[in-house]
Structure formats: C-alpha cells, structure tokens
Amino acid sequence: MTVLKVSSLTKNFGGLAAVSNVNLEIEERELIGLIGPNGAGKTTLFNLLTGVYEPSEGKIELNVDGQMKSIGGLKPYVITGLGLARTFQNIRLFKNMTVLDNVKLAMNKSVRYSALAAVLRLPSYYREEQRILNEAMELLEVVGLAEKKQVLAKNLPYGQQRKLEIARALAAKPKILFLDEPAAGMNPQETTELTELIHQIKEQFNLTVVLIEHDMSLVMKICERIYVLDYGKCIAQGTPEAIKNNRRVIEAYLGED
C-alpha cells in the first residue's frame, strides 16, 4: 500500500530550483534511502515533506485512513499529527532538560486531561501523567537510554543524543519516520548500534522509514530502495545493487572504486 506519493515536486528559492520535478512513491513499511552530494536538495525535500517549506509546484499526498490526502503547504504540527515525524541534521533537543522530560514534552499533543483537571489535580490528571511517564520510559528502553532518564540532554555523548532525538520522534507515534543524517558524526561502534536500532524500531513500530545518509555502508546494508538526488533532481531510484552499479550515480556521487 502506498503511504506517501510525491508528484512533480519543486521548490524555488528566487531563481534557484533547490528541488526540481521530483517524483517519489513509498510503500508501507519500506526502508528508503535518500542520497546525493552535498547541496543536492535532500534536506530541502525533507523540509517540504514535513511542512517546513511550502512547495512552489507539485503535490505531496499522504495515505490517511486509506485515502490519499494532499498535505503540501500544511503546517508542520498538522503533518506530524497525520503521522509524519522527523529528526534533524543538526540535533534539536532541549539541552537543559532531562532525557525523560525531553521525551515527555514530545508527547504533549497526546495529553487527554483538561486544563481544569490539571489545575485541580483531579484523578484524571494523575492517571494521564502516569500513562505519559510509562510510555516515555518504554521509548527510552527501546533506544537504550532508560538508565540515563535523569541526565541532562546536553551531558549525553553525541551518539546518545541522536538516539534521544529518535525517541522524541517516536513519541509522536508516526507511521512514517524521516531521519536526516542520523549517523553523522558517529564512530563505527555508534553507527553499528544505530543500524540495529533503525531495524528494530521499523519492525517494532511497523514504521516506514526514510533516511538521508552519507554513510554508504549503512545505506547499502539496510535500505530496500534508494532515491538519488543531484542538483535538486532525482537521477535514479532502485535497489541498493542497482544504484551501486548505476553509471550516472557513480559519476555524480559514488565515484569509482
């Protein structure tokens, strides 16, 4: 089942087309890679899909309850509510809050008690707070940070900050998770752990995962299909094996062995 369809998507900044006539079709529970040289338009494409930018042209459609719904130009919080969540190339955490509070804060849109219940501390307030705590701790267990729950986010090692950002994205209960260079800055051990984590959360949460990544060993190992951007245009798409042997992709990005 198609969960996300992009048709002739274009984003212009002045006279520059950062994304030009891009077409994507992503199926349920796929693990998709998005690769290309720096400046190819990959993060701009993510920003379009998640509502940070409004398309200049083209259509973005998301499967919502079995119907394809146009989401181009919707606000990011609306798109998140429809089932798309993301991490960022530059880590965006509340650095002076604890690991646990970072995840709990990401769950604020799912809170089910009223303002009156919160002010009066009614039983519904305590029940809901306990639910949020339990769910946040479950996510920290998934990413291996439960024992760091009271540590300030800024005091985590870099690789664990990346994992915390993934836990925050999962707190939105997405059906599609966008990961923007999740292995950037990681050492080989951290990259191996991240690869295992991506596989785990895809299966455990029945997710579709789309990732931008420059670590080709990671991309070729875990992605089922890959799209390649160059100068804002999609120049190839296919299986890792097909992409690895595509002459145009080799010339634009992968280079010769």
Side-chain angles (χ1 to χ4, degrees), residues 55-194:
S56 300
E57 298 176 27
K59 183 181 289 188
I60 306 167
E61 296 175 289
L62 177 68
N63 191 312
V64 180
D65 298 327
Q67 299 292 324
M68 298 305 290
K69 175 182 175 65
S70 179
I71 63 169
L74 295 181
K75 298 294 184 184
Y77 72 88
V78 176
I79 292 175
T80 300
L82 292 172
L84 273 67
R86 69 173 294 181
T87 64
F88 290 85
Q89 187 174 352
N90 298 313
I91 295 174
R92 297 188 183 184
L93 298 172
F94 293 98
K95 297 294 183 71
N96 291 310
M97 294 177 64
T98 67
V99 167
L100 178 59
D101 284 342
N102 262 273
V103 178
K104 289 174 66 177
L105 188 62
M107 302 170 68
N108 65 345
K109 291 191 180 300
S110 69
V111 171
R112 296 194 290 262
Y113 55 72
S114 66
L116 180 62
V119 171
L120 298 179
R121 294 298 195 264
L122 298 178
S124 60
Y125 166 81
Y126 289 106
R127 286 195 300 270
E128 190 66 1
E129 284 294 302
Q130 187 62 49
R131 179 189 69 81
I132 291 170
L133 173 61
N134 292 343
E135 291 187 7
M137 286 303 302
E138 287 173 6
L139 291 175
L140 291 179
E141 289 280 0
V142 168
V143 300
L145 294 177
E147 294 184 358
K148 301 289 184 74
K149 64 181 180 181
Q150 296 303 334
V151 176
L152 295 182
K154 67 181 180 182
N155 293 332
L156 289 177
Y158 181 83
Q160 292 184 359
Q161 289 189 28
R162 285 283 184 189
K163 290 181 178 180
L164 178 55
E165 194 175 35
I166 291 173
R168 282 171 46 84
L170 291 173
K173 299 184 177 179
K175 54 188 174 185
I176 305 178
L177 177 62
F178 293 94
L179 302 175
D180 193 348
E181 296 195 30
M186 288 189 173
N187 61 42
Q189 177 60 36
E190 289 171 332
T191 300
T192 298
E193 292 176 1
L194 175 70

Side-chain angles (χ1 to χ4, degrees), residues 12 15 47 54 66 73 83 92 120 144 147 170-171 199 221 241 250 255:
N12 298 316
N47 287 338
E54 186 171 347
R92 297 188 183 184
L120 298 179
E147 294 184 358
L170 291 173
H199 268 303
K221 185 180 298 182
E241 188 66 23
I250 292 171

Side-chain angles (χ1 to χ4, degrees), residues 230-249:
D230 189 34
Y231 293 105
K233 297 180 179 180
C234 184
I235 62 170
Q237 63 108 349
T239 65
E241 188 66 23
I243 293 299
K244 185 169 62 175
N245 294 298
N246 184 296
R247 175 56 54 181
R248 189 174 179 189
V249 175

